[in-house]
PDB file of all heavy atoms in Angstrom:
ATOM      1  N   GLN A 498     -15.800  -1.141  -7.800  1.00  0.00           N
ATOM      2  CA  GLN A 498     -16.671  -1.166  -6.621  1.00  0.00           C
ATOM      3  C   GLN A 498     -15.834  -1.143  -5.343  1.00  0.00           C
ATOM      4  O   GLN A 498     -16.186  -0.487  -4.363  1.00  0.00           O
ATOM      5  CB  GLN A 498     -17.568  -2.415  -6.640  1.00  0.00           C
ATOM      6  CG  GLN A 498     -18.644  -2.392  -7.720  1.00  0.00           C
ATOM      7  CD  GLN A 498     -18.081  -2.692  -9.105  1.00  0.00           C
ATOM      8  OE1 GLN A 498     -17.056  -3.366  -9.242  1.00  0.00           O
ATOM      9  NE2 GLN A 498     -18.752  -2.192 -10.128  1.00  0.00           N
ATOM     10  N   GLN A 499     -14.720  -1.849  -5.380  1.00  0.00           N
ATOM     11  CA  GLN A 499     -13.841  -1.855  -4.212  1.00  0.00           C
ATOM     12  C   GLN A 499     -13.298  -0.455  -3.923  1.00  0.00           C
ATOM     13  O   GLN A 499     -13.311   0.007  -2.783  1.00  0.00           O
ATOM     14  CB  GLN A 499     -12.678  -2.819  -4.438  1.00  0.00           C
ATOM     15  CG  GLN A 499     -11.730  -2.923  -3.264  1.00  0.00           C
ATOM     16  CD  GLN A 499     -10.733  -4.051  -3.464  1.00  0.00           C
ATOM     17  OE1 GLN A 499      -9.731  -3.883  -4.148  1.00  0.00           O
ATOM     18  NE2 GLN A 499     -11.024  -5.196  -2.887  1.00  0.00           N
ATOM     19  N   ALA A 500     -12.832   0.222  -4.960  1.00  0.00           N
ATOM     20  CA  ALA A 500     -12.316   1.588  -4.785  1.00  0.00           C
ATOM     21  C   ALA A 500     -13.393   2.477  -4.180  1.00  0.00           C
ATOM     22  O   ALA A 500     -13.124   3.271  -3.265  1.00  0.00           O
ATOM     23  CB  ALA A 500     -11.839   2.145  -6.117  1.00  0.00           C
ATOM     24  N   SER A 501     -14.627   2.345  -4.674  1.00  0.00           N
ATOM     25  CA  SER A 501     -15.693   3.219  -4.180  1.00  0.00           C
ATOM     26  C   SER A 501     -16.087   2.867  -2.745  1.00  0.00           C
ATOM     27  O   SER A 501     -16.492   3.729  -1.979  1.00  0.00           O
ATOM     28  CB  SER A 501     -16.918   3.153  -5.098  1.00  0.00           C
ATOM     29  OG  SER A 501     -17.506   1.868  -5.072  1.00  0.00           O
ATOM     30  N   ARG A 502     -15.924   1.595  -2.370  1.00  0.00           N
ATOM     31  CA  ARG A 502     -16.310   1.174  -1.013  1.00  0.00           C
ATOM     32  C   ARG A 502     -15.287   1.569   0.042  1.00  0.00           C
ATOM     33  O   ARG A 502     -15.656   1.939   1.159  1.00  0.00           O
ATOM     34  CB  ARG A 502     -16.493  -0.359  -0.966  1.00  0.00           C
ATOM     35  CG  ARG A 502     -17.778  -0.862  -1.576  1.00  0.00           C
ATOM     36  CD  ARG A 502     -18.016  -2.326  -1.227  1.00  0.00           C
ATOM     37  NE  ARG A 502     -17.019  -3.225  -1.782  1.00  0.00           N
ATOM     38  CZ  ARG A 502     -17.163  -3.921  -2.914  1.00  0.00           C
ATOM     39  NH1 ARG A 502     -18.273  -3.797  -3.626  1.00  0.00           N
ATOM     40  NH2 ARG A 502     -16.212  -4.737  -3.334  1.00  0.00           N
ATOM     41  N   VAL A 503     -13.990   1.463  -0.272  1.00  0.00           N
ATOM     42  CA  VAL A 503     -12.994   1.572   0.806  1.00  0.00           C
ATOM     43  C   VAL A 503     -12.222   2.879   0.832  1.00  0.00           C
ATOM     44  O   VAL A 503     -11.608   3.203   1.841  1.00  0.00           O
ATOM     45  CB  VAL A 503     -11.975   0.403   0.767  1.00  0.00           C
ATOM     46  CG1 VAL A 503     -12.688  -0.935   0.830  1.00  0.00           C
ATOM     47  CG2 VAL A 503     -11.048   0.483  -0.431  1.00  0.00           C
ATOM     48  N   SER A 504     -12.222   3.653  -0.270  1.00  0.00           N
ATOM     49  CA  SER A 504     -11.271   4.777  -0.329  1.00  0.00           C
ATOM     50  C   SER A 504     -11.909   6.132  -0.050  1.00  0.00           C
ATOM     51  O   SER A 504     -13.099   6.339  -0.276  1.00  0.00           O
ATOM     52  CB  SER A 504     -10.566   4.803  -1.692  1.00  0.00           C
ATOM     53  OG  SER A 504     -11.466   5.158  -2.713  1.00  0.00           O
ATOM     54  N   ASP A 505     -11.052   7.049   0.414  1.00  0.00           N
ATOM     55  CA  ASP A 505     -11.455   8.438   0.634  1.00  0.00           C
ATOM     56  C   ASP A 505     -11.175   9.284  -0.607  1.00  0.00           C
ATOM     57  O   ASP A 505     -11.957  10.161  -0.952  1.00  0.00           O
ATOM     58  CB  ASP A 505     -10.683   9.023   1.822  1.00  0.00           C
ATOM     59  CG  ASP A 505     -10.975   8.262   3.103  1.00  0.00           C
ATOM     60  OD1 ASP A 505     -12.075   8.448   3.639  1.00  0.00           O
ATOM     61  OD2 ASP A 505     -10.123   7.475   3.539  1.00  0.00           O
ATOM     62  N   GLN A 506     -10.017   9.021  -1.246  1.00  0.00           N
ATOM     63  CA  GLN A 506      -9.719   9.693  -2.507  1.00  0.00           C
ATOM     64  C   GLN A 506      -9.277   8.650  -3.525  1.00  0.00           C
ATOM     65  O   GLN A 506      -8.745   7.595  -3.169  1.00  0.00           O
ATOM     66  CB  GLN A 506      -8.675  10.799  -2.348  1.00  0.00           C
ATOM     67  CG  GLN A 506      -7.290  10.366  -1.935  1.00  0.00           C
ATOM     68  CD  GLN A 506      -6.275  11.510  -2.022  1.00  0.00           C
ATOM     69  OE1 GLN A 506      -6.605  12.648  -2.371  1.00  0.00           O
ATOM     70  NE2 GLN A 506      -5.017  11.222  -1.729  1.00  0.00           N
ATOM     71  N   THR A 507      -9.546   8.950  -4.795  1.00  0.00           N
ATOM     72  CA  THR A 507      -9.214   8.024  -5.884  1.00  0.00           C
ATOM     73  C   THR A 507      -8.419   8.761  -6.944  1.00  0.00           C
ATOM     74  O   THR A 507      -8.738   9.901  -7.294  1.00  0.00           O
ATOM     75  CB  THR A 507     -10.491   7.417  -6.501  1.00  0.00           C
ATOM     76  OG1 THR A 507     -11.155   6.622  -5.506  1.00  0.00           O
ATOM     77  CG2 THR A 507     -10.169   6.534  -7.700  1.00  0.00           C
ATOM     78  N   ALA A 508      -7.385   8.070  -7.425  1.00  0.00           N
ATOM     79  CA  ALA A 508      -6.545   8.604  -8.507  1.00  0.00           C
ATOM     80  C   ALA A 508      -6.718   7.709  -9.731  1.00  0.00           C
ATOM     81  O   ALA A 508      -6.643   6.482  -9.620  1.00  0.00           O
ATOM     82  CB  ALA A 508      -5.082   8.619  -8.074  1.00  0.00           C
ATOM     83  N   PHE A 509      -6.932   8.330 -10.880  1.00  0.00           N
ATOM     84  CA  PHE A 509      -7.059   7.589 -12.137  1.00  0.00           C
ATOM     85  C   PHE A 509      -5.805   7.801 -12.975  1.00  0.00           C
ATOM     86  O   PHE A 509      -5.476   8.926 -13.339  1.00  0.00           O
ATOM     87  CB  PHE A 509      -8.301   8.046 -12.907  1.00  0.00           C
ATOM     88  CG  PHE A 509      -8.400   7.474 -14.296  1.00  0.00           C
ATOM     89  CD1 PHE A 509      -8.370   6.101 -14.507  1.00  0.00           C
ATOM     90  CD2 PHE A 509      -8.522   8.306 -15.401  1.00  0.00           C
ATOM     91  CE1 PHE A 509      -8.439   5.574 -15.793  1.00  0.00           C
ATOM     92  CE2 PHE A 509      -8.603   7.795 -16.687  1.00  0.00           C
ATOM     93  CZ  PHE A 509      -8.563   6.419 -16.885  1.00  0.00           C
TER      94      PHE A 509
END
Side-chain angles (χ1 to χ4, degrees):
Q498 290 76 26
Q499 182 171 82
S501 66
R502 283 192 295 263
V503 304
S504 69
D505 299 286
Q506 65 171 1
T507 296
F509 172 56

